[in-house]
Amino acid sequence: MTDRIEIRDIPERRLIGVPHKGPYDQISAAFARLDEILDRDTLRARAGAMVALFHDSPDEVPPAELRSFAAVEMDRGTATPEGAEEVILPAGPAAVLAHHGSYTELPAAYDRLFGEWLPGSGRRPAGQPYELYHNTPDEVAADRLVTDIHLPLEP
């Protein structure tokens, strides 16, 4: 299936999460730490979608030095729990690639977004990309995963 790319107006997002340093495909360890914090502070019911921020280009930074952030959306009325950090993603336009399938196929989706779509779009990035997960491998088979890759754009 060809993943669809569209420009959307994205609302501000408040994230609560933990940083990860190392290969992006190992960010699950940071999500496990975040799960422990959410369970410890009984915040799971208040947590929204899972989100992963990616700060570096894997084409430019060695895998051991890659920086990312494993997070969940959280309302402003919830205090940031001990051991977690808050990140606010600003509102604005974003290119959103709706990827259907395994996480192992995400690098090809990024190649399409950055290597094909962006150069021909006439748009410029306004921040780091992030992934919003509609489901997880605990919930569905790998071929049924839905992940939105967001690329914030200049207005």
Side-chain angles (χ1 to χ4, degrees), residues 66-77:
L66 291 170
R67 298 169 301 125
S68 54
F69 189 71
V72 292
E73 288 187 299
M74 189 70 66
D75 64 82
R76 288 202 175 265

Side-chain angles (χ1 to χ4, degrees), residues 13 49-52 73 130-134 146-150:
R13 289 193 159 105
M50 291 175 41
V51 176
E73 288 187 299
Y130 62 93
E131 296 172 2
L132 185 142
Y133 306 100
H134 291 277
V146 179
T147 306
D148 286 348
I149 301 172
H150 289 74

Side-chain angles (χ1 to χ4, degrees), residues 42-66:
T42 61
L43 293 174
R44 178 128 355 251
R46 296 187 80 159
M50 291 175 41
V51 176
L53 302 177
F54 300 100
H55 301 294
D56 303 305
S57 168
D59 294 333
E60 299 170 4
V61 176
E65 299 299 316
L66 291 170

Side-chain angles (χ1 to χ4, degrees), residues 73-134:
E73 288 187 299
M74 189 70 66
D75 64 82
R76 288 202 175 265
T78 302
T80 302
E82 185 178 331
E85 300 174 11
E86 175 187 75
V87 170
I88 304 294
L89 298 177
V96 180
L97 184 151
H99 174 72
H100 296 81
S102 171
Y103 295 155
T104 61
E105 299 165 355
L106 285 170
Y110 276 92
D111 288 345
R112 182 163 169 254
L113 180 61
F114 281 92
E116 296 174 25
W117 182 86
L118 186 60
S121 72
R123 303 300 294 259
R124 293 174 41 122
Q128 292 96 9
Y130 62 93
E131 296 172 2
L132 185 142
Y133 306 100
H134 291 277

